[in-house]
Amino acid sequence: MKASDLIKLAAEAREKAYAGYSGYRVGAALLAKNGKVYLGCNVENAVYPAGICAERNAIFSAVADGVREFSRIAIVGGSGDKLKGYAYPCGICRQVMREFCDDDFEIILYDGRKQLKKTLAEILPCSFSKTDLDF
Ligand code: THU
């Protein structure tokens, strides 16, 4: 799927964000290697740490559907109705990506005007992963 189509889906997912505490709304559209797309938005909570980011929401939704291989994700974010800046994934989401995605997994960012593409290896260098564990 084209980057621009995935961005459109991420923007649609963002409309579902439940982000009344921070006001920062995020949408993610995750493309699996089998062609399926999983959407996620951030879902906040009165107990702040109980909330979840849009990216993990999308990834966990795919895993719950039995899908664990992914090629790219589009992410958009900003306060209120407008997109603002590139919504880079937080550290925890990067680590969750590490669990299921290869170094060349593509992160597509869109600030409302321009696209920016990064690989997982670029945004999470020197990472720890399941390949480091002996079991
Ligand atoms: N957020 C995401 O959804 N993804 C990220 O990678 C960064 C942060 C959400 C979490 C919280 O609901 C809000 O943005 C402000 O941190």
Side-chain angles (χ1 to χ4, degrees):
M1 173 177 287
K2 276 197 303 183
S4 57
D5 292 334
L6 211 57
I7 288 167
K8 238 177 253 166
L9 292 172
E12 282 174 29
R14 182 175 170 275
E15 287 171 20
K16 312 269 188 358
Y18 179 79
Y21 298 100
S22 73
Y24 186 75
R25 304 161 66 81
V26 186
L30 173 69
L31 180 65
K33 287 191 177 169
N34 68 6
K36 276 186 157 190
V37 175
Y38 294 89
L39 303 180
C41 61
N42 55 332
V43 180
E44 297 186 346
N45 191 283
V47 177
Y48 288 14
I52 186 133
C53 293
E55 300 90 321
R56 271 177 291 152
N57 202 348
I59 294 169
F60 293 161
S61 163
V63 172
D65 192 38
V67 174
R68 297 179 186 169
E69 294 188 341
F70 309 112
S71 51
R72 58 203 330 209
I73 190 170
I75 309 165
V76 294
S79 297
D81 286 342
K82 54 185 192 316
L83 301 185
K84 189 180 170 216
Y86 292 125
Y88 280 100
C90 79
I92 299 173
C93 289
R94 292 177 198 205
Q95 186 62 35
V96 169
M97 289 171 186
R98 173 79 294 164
E99 188 67 23
F100 299 106
C101 307
D102 299 326
D103 275 350
D104 64 354
F105 177 69
E106 199 171 44
I107 293 103
I108 302 161
L109 305 166
Y110 179 68
D111 66 0
R113 290 181 315 119
K114 280 185 299 177
Q115 276 182 34
L116 177 67
K117 291 180 184 160
K118 298 276 182 187
T119 64
L120 182 57
E122 283 176 312
I123 66 162
L124 191 66
C126 312
S127 60
F128 185 89
S129 74
K130 58 191 171 190
T131 59
D132 295 301
L133 296 173
D134 298 316
F135 65 91

Short mmCIF file of all heavy atoms in Angstrom, two decimals, residues 2-36:
data_model
loop_
_atom_site.label_atom_id
_atom_site.label_comp_id
_atom_site.label_asym_id
_atom_site.label_seq_id
_atom_site.Cartn_x
_atom_site.Cartn_y
_atom_site.Cartn_z
N LYS A 2 0.46 2.24 -0.80
CA LYS A 2 1.21 3.50 -0.92
C LYS A 2 1.27 4.24 0.41
O LYS A 2 0.30 4.22 1.18
CB LYS A 2 0.49 4.43 -1.91
CG LYS A 2 0.83 4.19 -3.36
CD LYS A 2 0.40 5.39 -4.20
CE LYS A 2 -1.07 5.70 -4.03
NZ LYS A 2 -1.60 6.80 -4.83
N ALA A 3 2.36 4.95 0.64
CA ALA A 3 2.52 5.71 1.88
C ALA A 3 1.36 6.69 2.07
O ALA A 3 0.81 6.82 3.17
CB ALA A 3 3.85 6.45 1.86
N SER A 4 0.94 7.35 0.99
CA SER A 4 -0.10 8.37 1.13
C SER A 4 -1.44 7.75 1.54
O SER A 4 -2.22 8.36 2.28
CB SER A 4 -0.25 9.17 -0.17
OG SER A 4 -0.52 8.30 -1.23
N ASP A 5 -1.71 6.53 1.08
CA ASP A 5 -2.96 5.85 1.49
C ASP A 5 -2.91 5.47 2.97
O ASP A 5 -3.91 5.58 3.69
CB ASP A 5 -3.20 4.60 0.63
CG ASP A 5 -3.50 4.95 -0.81
OD1 ASP A 5 -4.01 6.07 -1.04
OD2 ASP A 5 -3.21 4.14 -1.70
N LEU A 6 -1.74 5.01 3.39
CA LEU A 6 -1.59 4.62 4.80
C LEU A 6 -1.71 5.84 5.71
O LEU A 6 -2.30 5.78 6.79
CB LEU A 6 -0.23 3.91 4.97
CG LEU A 6 -0.15 2.82 6.05
CD1 LEU A 6 -1.18 1.73 5.81
CD2 LEU A 6 1.25 2.21 6.07
N ILE A 7 -1.18 6.97 5.25
CA ILE A 7 -1.29 8.23 6.02
C ILE A 7 -2.76 8.64 6.17
O ILE A 7 -3.20 9.04 7.23
CB ILE A 7 -0.48 9.35 5.33
CG1 ILE A 7 1.01 9.09 5.50
CG2 ILE A 7 -0.86 10.71 5.87
CD1 ILE A 7 1.91 9.95 4.61
N LYS A 8 -3.51 8.49 5.07
CA LYS A 8 -4.94 8.82 5.11
C LYS A 8 -5.66 7.99 6.17
O LYS A 8 -6.48 8.49 6.95
CB LYS A 8 -5.58 8.56 3.74
CG LYS A 8 -6.24 9.78 3.13
CD LYS A 8 -6.77 9.49 1.75
CE LYS A 8 -5.90 10.16 0.71
NZ LYS A 8 -6.12 9.69 -0.66
N LEU A 9 -5.33 6.70 6.21
CA LEU A 9 -5.95 5.81 7.20
C LEU A 9 -5.53 6.20 8.63
O LEU A 9 -6.33 6.13 9.56
CB LEU A 9 -5.60 4.35 6.90
CG LEU A 9 -6.22 3.80 5.61
CD1 LEU A 9 -5.66 2.41 5.29
CD2 LEU A 9 -7.74 3.72 5.75
N ALA A 10 -4.28 6.58 8.78
CA ALA A 10 -3.81 7.01 10.10
C ALA A 10 -4.57 8.26 10.56
O ALA A 10 -4.94 8.39 11.73
CB ALA A 10 -2.30 7.28 10.07
N ALA A 11 -4.81 9.17 9.63
CA ALA A 11 -5.56 10.40 9.96
C ALA A 11 -7.00 10.06 10.35
O ALA A 11 -7.57 10.68 11.26
CB ALA A 11 -5.53 11.37 8.78
N GLU A 12 -7.58 9.06 9.68
CA GLU A 12 -8.94 8.64 10.05
C GLU A 12 -8.95 8.02 11.44
O GLU A 12 -9.85 8.26 12.25
CB GLU A 12 -9.48 7.63 9.02
CG GLU A 12 -9.97 8.31 7.75
CD GLU A 12 -10.36 7.31 6.67
OE1 GLU A 12 -10.79 6.19 7.02
OE2 GLU A 12 -10.21 7.66 5.48
N ALA A 13 -7.94 7.20 11.72
CA ALA A 13 -7.84 6.55 13.04
C ALA A 13 -7.68 7.61 14.13
O ALA A 13 -8.21 7.48 15.23
CB ALA A 13 -6.65 5.59 13.07
N ARG A 14 -6.96 8.67 13.79
CA ARG A 14 -6.72 9.75 14.77
C ARG A 14 -8.03 10.40 15.22
O ARG A 14 -8.12 10.90 16.34
CB ARG A 14 -5.78 10.78 14.15
CG ARG A 14 -5.40 11.91 15.06
CD ARG A 14 -4.38 12.81 14.41
NE ARG A 14 -4.20 14.02 15.18
CZ ARG A 14 -4.96 15.10 15.08
NH1 ARG A 14 -5.94 15.14 14.19
NH2 ARG A 14 -4.74 16.14 15.85
N GLU A 15 -9.01 10.41 14.34
CA GLU A 15 -10.30 11.01 14.71
C GLU A 15 -10.95 10.27 15.88
O GLU A 15 -11.81 10.81 16.57
CB GLU A 15 -11.24 11.05 13.49
CG GLU A 15 -10.79 12.12 12.49
CD GLU A 15 -11.55 12.05 11.18
OE1 GLU A 15 -12.65 11.46 11.15
OE2 GLU A 15 -11.02 12.57 10.19
N LYS A 16 -10.55 9.01 16.09
CA LYS A 16 -11.13 8.21 17.18
C LYS A 16 -10.35 8.37 18.48
O LYS A 16 -10.70 7.76 19.49
CB LYS A 16 -11.13 6.73 16.79
CG LYS A 16 -11.66 6.42 15.41
CD LYS A 16 -13.13 6.13 15.50
CE LYS A 16 -13.80 5.63 14.23
NZ LYS A 16 -13.07 5.48 13.01
N ALA A 17 -9.28 9.15 18.46
CA ALA A 17 -8.44 9.28 19.67
C ALA A 17 -9.29 9.67 20.88
O ALA A 17 -10.21 10.50 20.78
CB ALA A 17 -7.35 10.33 19.43
N TYR A 18 -8.95 9.06 22.01
CA TYR A 18 -9.59 9.40 23.28
C TYR A 18 -8.50 10.04 24.12
O TYR A 18 -7.70 9.36 24.76
CB TYR A 18 -10.14 8.12 23.93
CG TYR A 18 -10.81 8.36 25.26
CD1 TYR A 18 -12.12 8.87 25.32
CD2 TYR A 18 -10.16 8.08 26.45
CE1 TYR A 18 -12.75 9.09 26.54
CE2 TYR A 18 -10.77 8.30 27.67
CZ TYR A 18 -12.06 8.80 27.71
OH TYR A 18 -12.68 9.02 28.91
N ALA A 19 -8.38 11.34 24.01
CA ALA A 19 -7.19 12.02 24.51
C ALA A 19 -7.55 13.31 25.26
O ALA A 19 -6.90 14.34 25.09
CB ALA A 19 -6.25 12.32 23.35
N GLY A 20 -8.60 13.22 26.07
CA GLY A 20 -9.09 14.40 26.78
C GLY A 20 -8.14 14.96 27.82
O GLY A 20 -8.30 16.11 28.24
N TYR A 21 -7.17 14.17 28.27
CA TYR A 21 -6.26 14.66 29.32
C TYR A 21 -5.12 15.48 28.74
O TYR A 21 -4.81 16.56 29.22
CB TYR A 21 -5.76 13.49 30.18
CG TYR A 21 -6.92 12.82 30.87
CD1 TYR A 21 -7.47 11.65 30.36
CD2 TYR A 21 -7.52 13.40 31.98
CE1 TYR A 21 -8.57 11.05 30.95
CE2 TYR A 21 -8.63 12.82 32.59
CZ TYR A 21 -9.16 11.65 32.07
OH TYR A 21 -10.25 11.08 32.65
N SER A 22 -4.50 14.96 27.69
CA SER A 22 -3.38 15.71 27.08
C SER A 22 -3.86 16.60 25.93
O SER A 22 -3.21 17.58 25.60
CB SER A 22 -2.32 14.74 26.55
OG SER A 22 -2.78 14.11 25.36
N GLY A 23 -4.95 16.21 25.30
CA GLY A 23 -5.40 16.94 24.11
C GLY A 23 -4.58 16.60 22.88
O GLY A 23 -4.86 17.09 21.78
N TYR A 24 -3.58 15.75 23.02
CA TYR A 24 -2.71 15.39 21.89
C TYR A 24 -3.26 14.09 21.28
O TYR A 24 -3.28 13.04 21.92
CB TYR A 24 -1.27 15.19 22.37
CG TYR A 24 -0.29 14.97 21.25
CD1 TYR A 24 0.12 16.03 20.45
CD2 TYR A 24 0.21 13.70 20.99
CE1 TYR A 24 1.01 15.82 19.40
CE2 TYR A 24 1.11 13.48 19.95
CZ TYR A 24 1.50 14.56 19.16
OH TYR A 24 2.38 14.35 18.14
N ARG A 25 -3.69 14.20 20.03
CA ARG A 25 -4.38 13.08 19.39
C ARG A 25 -3.47 12.43 18.36
O ARG A 25 -2.89 13.12 17.51
CB ARG A 25 -5.66 13.59 18.71
CG ARG A 25 -6.58 14.32 19.69
CD ARG A 25 -7.59 15.20 18.98
NE ARG A 25 -8.53 14.39 18.21
CZ ARG A 25 -9.58 13.80 18.73
NH1 ARG A 25 -9.86 13.94 20.01
NH2 ARG A 25 -10.38 13.08 17.98
N VAL A 26 -3.38 11.10 18.42
CA VAL A 26 -2.47 10.35 17.54
C VAL A 26 -3.26 9.25 16.81
O VAL A 26 -4.14 8.62 17.40
CB VAL A 26 -1.33 9.72 18.36
CG1 VAL A 26 -0.29 9.07 17.42
CG2 VAL A 26 -0.65 10.74 19.26
N GLY A 27 -2.90 9.06 15.55
CA GLY A 27 -3.48 7.96 14.77
C GLY A 27 -2.36 7.18 14.11
O GLY A 27 -1.34 7.75 13.71
N ALA A 28 -2.56 5.87 14.01
CA ALA A 28 -1.56 5.01 13.37
C ALA A 28 -2.25 4.01 12.46
O ALA A 28 -3.34 3.53 12.77
CB ALA A 28 -0.74 4.28 14.44
N ALA A 29 -1.61 3.73 11.33
CA ALA A 29 -2.10 2.69 10.41
C ALA A 29 -0.92 1.77 10.11
O ALA A 29 0.10 2.21 9.57
CB ALA A 29 -2.65 3.31 9.13
N LEU A 30 -1.07 0.52 10.49
CA LEU A 30 0.01 -0.47 10.43
C LEU A 30 -0.28 -1.44 9.28
O LEU A 30 -1.34 -2.07 9.25
CB LEU A 30 0.03 -1.23 11.76
CG LEU A 30 0.95 -2.42 11.92
CD1 LEU A 30 2.42 -1.97 11.94
CD2 LEU A 30 0.62 -3.18 13.21
N LEU A 31 0.68 -1.55 8.36
CA LEU A 31 0.51 -2.48 7.24
C LEU A 31 1.23 -3.79 7.55
O LEU A 31 2.45 -3.81 7.78
CB LEU A 31 1.08 -1.86 5.95
CG LEU A 31 0.97 -2.73 4.70
CD1 LEU A 31 -0.50 -2.96 4.30
CD2 LEU A 31 1.74 -2.11 3.54
N ALA A 32 0.47 -4.87 7.57
CA ALA A 32 1.06 -6.20 7.80
C ALA A 32 1.59 -6.74 6.47
O ALA A 32 1.18 -6.31 5.39
CB ALA A 32 0.00 -7.13 8.37
N LYS A 33 2.51 -7.70 6.59
CA LYS A 33 3.10 -8.28 5.37
C LYS A 33 2.05 -9.02 4.54
O LYS A 33 2.22 -9.21 3.34
CB LYS A 33 4.28 -9.17 5.74
CG LYS A 33 5.49 -8.36 6.18
CD LYS A 33 6.77 -9.17 6.29
CE LYS A 33 7.93 -8.24 6.66
NZ LYS A 33 9.15 -8.94 7.03
N ASN A 34 0.96 -9.43 5.19
CA ASN A 34 -0.11 -10.13 4.44
C ASN A 34 -1.07 -9.15 3.76
O ASN A 34 -2.08 -9.55 3.19
CB ASN A 34 -0.88 -11.07 5.37
CG ASN A 34 -1.70 -10.34 6.43
OD1 ASN A 34 -1.79 -9.11 6.42
ND2 ASN A 34 -2.29 -11.08 7.35
N GLY A 35 -0.79 -7.84 3.86
CA GLY A 35 -1.61 -6.84 3.18
C GLY A 35 -2.70 -6.22 4.04
O GLY A 35 -3.32 -5.23 3.64
N LYS A 36 -2.95 -6.81 5.21
CA LYS A 36 -3.99 -6.25 6.08
C LYS A 36 -3.49 -4.97 6.77
O LYS A 36 -2.29 -4.85 7.04
CB LYS A 36 -4.36 -7.24 7.18
CG LYS A 36 -5.39 -8.28 6.78
CD LYS A 36 -5.76 -9.09 8.03
CE LYS A 36 -7.10 -9.75 7.94
NZ LYS A 36 -7.53 -10.32 9.22
#
